Every structure is written in structure tokens, then in C-alpha cells.
Amino acid sequence: MRRYSWGTGLLEIVMVGTTLVFLVPVYILVNLAFRRMDDLSTPLLPTSQPTIDNFVTAWEQAGLGSALLNSLFITVVSVTLIVIMAALASYPLARVTGGWSRAAYMLFMIGLLLPFQLVFIPLYQTFSSLKILGTPWPLIILYAGHQMPFSIFLYTSFLRALPRDVEEAASIDGANLWQSFWYVVFPILTPVTGTVIILNAILVWNDFMSPLLYLGGSRHQTVPVAIYGFVGEFNTVWPVVFAGLLIGMVPVLLAYFALQERIMQGFNTSARA
């Protein structure tokens, strides 16, 4: 065993300090979410008389019920498309060794360098011409297309580290290419699929700019846009905003804790590749 030294103690101090830096904003968020609106004391002081009125106000006035359903629909459909298309695209990119597959892979990776905001205005004009602005479909198309390169990178890295023995065995048993992928390979991709799901779900769920642009003025508001209604030019009701943020965080936290182990497995396998 390594002996405890001054270096170990310094490392522990740094780790504790880093943890506090991350925990202070979370503490302020939770503390103010339960604070009465007439309590103007510093956010660092614990709330003396906690209340849930802020959560009730956020739920009723911001319409968080419908906003949660809209965000859930957009997130589920977008992430489902990303998983299916990225897995299908990554399989030949990882298994075919021809020059065209390497060129196609590099073409996908170029998508990682393109700014997300680059396509806002052209796509807005396109969606306007298609008369689908104000519906969830522009956001679903945008998210599915933009997140494909990163998801393909994760799936391809995982597949390249995966031996072909199981596929060859399935082929000997009479399975064709599609059957080998869906019934043999895709179930093995569960760890990286969990990583793809949670990372893309967090991005889609928390995105603010895209829903504000493509859903502005419609009834299909997402959670971040609905909460933004409490932020005004001259007055902002911070306790209600923080209460709304806590409500919006719950689905993502539940999904993360459910897939936490698979996320780490997916990252470890991709790193080894």
C-alpha cells in the first residue's frame, strides 16, 4: 500500500475544493427554489421557512405539464432516430475495410467541426417553406442530423473493438446480414447505446435556442422555453425559475441514474478503441 504523503493530502484538498465549486451552484438552486418570494436574504444562507409554492406557481403559470410532454416527445423521437441511424451507419464503417468506408467515416467526422448555429437561418427558411414551423418536427430533424457524427464516432469505435466471432457464428447458423446485426450485434452494443441515449437526451432536453427559434409563438413549448417566461427585462422571479429548473431536471436525472453503468462501459470501450 502507498504511504500517505503531503502529495496525497494536497490532492485530497484539490478534490474537495473542486467538489465544493460544483456543489455551490446546486446548493443555491435548491435553496432558492424553496424560498419565499419576499425573503431577500443572501442565497448562501439556508432558507428558514421553506415552501413549495414556487413549484406550484411554476407548474401552473408556465404550463410545465404540457411543456414536459412536448420535451419528452421531441427527445424520445430524436434520440430513437439517432440510435437507429447511427448504429446502421456505423456497422459498415467499422466492418468494411475499403477506402470508401474510411472516406465516409472522415466525412461524418467533419460534421463534428461544424458550428451548431451555422444552419439555423437556412433551415428556418426551409422549414417555413415546408410549413412545419411551430411543430416538433423541425427540431427532431435538426437534432437527428446534427448529432449523427458524434453518435457514429461512439458506435464505430465500439464496433472496431468488438471481435467478429459472434457474427461469423451467426452467419454459419444461416443468419443474413440484417439478422446478424439486429439479433446479434445490436444487443451487444447496449453499453454504447446507453451512452448515446443519455448524452443526446441531455443535449436535446436542455436546448434552449432551437426551440425558441423554431417553436416561437406556438403551443408546443419545451421546458427551457417555458421556464424562460419568468425571466423579464426588469423583473425576474428567481425562486420560481429555480423551482421550474428543478422540475425540468428530474426526468434527465432519472434517465442518467438508470443508464449510468452503461454510460461508463461505453466510454471505457470507446477509449480502448
Side-chain angles (χ1 to χ4, degrees):
M1 295 180 62
R2 295 180 59 183
R3 182 176 300 178
Y4 191 89
S5 63
W6 66 270
T8 306
L10 181 61
L11 181 60
E12 289 182 352
I13 294 175
V14 172
M15 292 174 61
V16 171
T18 303
T19 303
L20 291 176
V21 169
F22 281 96
L23 287 180
V24 167
V26 177
Y27 163 75
I28 294 176
L29 173 68
V30 176
N31 188 36
L32 291 184
F34 289 93
R35 178 170 294 185
R36 300 195 330 268
M37 296 185 190
D38 57 356
D39 188 349
L40 302 179
S41 59
T42 175
L44 295 177
L45 288 178
T47 299
S48 57
Q49 296 178 340
T51 178
I52 62 171
D53 292 343
N54 299 323
F55 294 88
V56 176
T57 302
W59 183 269
E60 294 178 348
Q61 295 187 12
L64 283 183
S66 60
L68 283 170
L69 292 177
N70 292 330
S71 291
L72 184 63
F73 175 77
I74 293 172
T75 302
V76 170
V77 176
S78 300
V79 173
T80 301
L81 290 176
I82 292 170
V83 167
I84 294 175
M85 293 190 299
L88 287 173
S90 300
Y91 187 56
L93 292 176
R95 288 296 185 248
V96 178
T97 58
W100 70 266
S101 72
R102 290 192 294 269
Y105 179 74
M106 294 306 299
L107 186 62
F108 276 115
M109 293 304 99
I110 292 176
L112 293 172
L113 306 177
L114 296 177
F116 187 58
Q117 296 79 7
L118 187 65
V119 296
F120 271 178
I121 302 304
L123 283 180
Y124 185 92
Q125 296 172 343
T126 302
F127 294 144
S128 178
S129 301
L130 295 174
K131 300 186 184 305
I132 57 175
L133 282 178
T135 69
W137 300 110
L139 291 176
I140 293 173
I141 296 171
L142 177 67
Y143 294 138
H146 184 266
Q147 291 306 110
M148 280 289 289
F150 178 66
S151 302
I152 287 175
F153 167 74
L154 292 178
Y155 271 121
T156 304
S157 301
F158 192 95
L159 281 165
R160 286 175 176 171
L162 194 68
R164 303 191 183 192
D165 299 346
V166 290
E167 301 164 59
E168 295 173 355
S171 178
I172 294 175
D173 290 338
N176 58 34
L177 183 63
W178 285 97
Q179 290 172 332
S180 297
F181 176 77
W182 286 115
Y183 297 109
V184 178
V185 177
F186 191 71
I188 301 176
L189 298 178
T190 300
V192 71
T193 297
T195 304
V196 171
I197 288 175
I198 193 62
L199 293 182
N200 286 296
I202 290 175
L203 183 143
V204 174
W205 186 273
N206 292 330
D207 186 30
F208 172 75
M209 184 59 67
S210 301
L212 183 66
L213 179 63
Y214 296 120
L215 299 180
S218 71
R219 58 184 178 87
H220 300 287
Q221 298 297 331
T222 59
V223 173
V225 178
I227 296 174
Y228 183 68
F230 293 105
V231 179
E233 182 178 0
F234 302 104
N235 184 31
T236 300
V237 189
W238 290 115
V240 178
V241 171
F242 291 155
L245 290 175
L246 283 180
I247 294 174
M249 288 167 53
V250 171
V252 178
L253 288 176
L254 292 177
Y256 176 78
F257 289 134
L259 300 173
Q260 184 178 14
E261 183 177 352
R262 293 178 180 177
I263 292 172
M264 299 310 299
Q265 292 175 355
F267 272 129
N268 291 336
T269 306
S270 298
R272 288 197 300 268

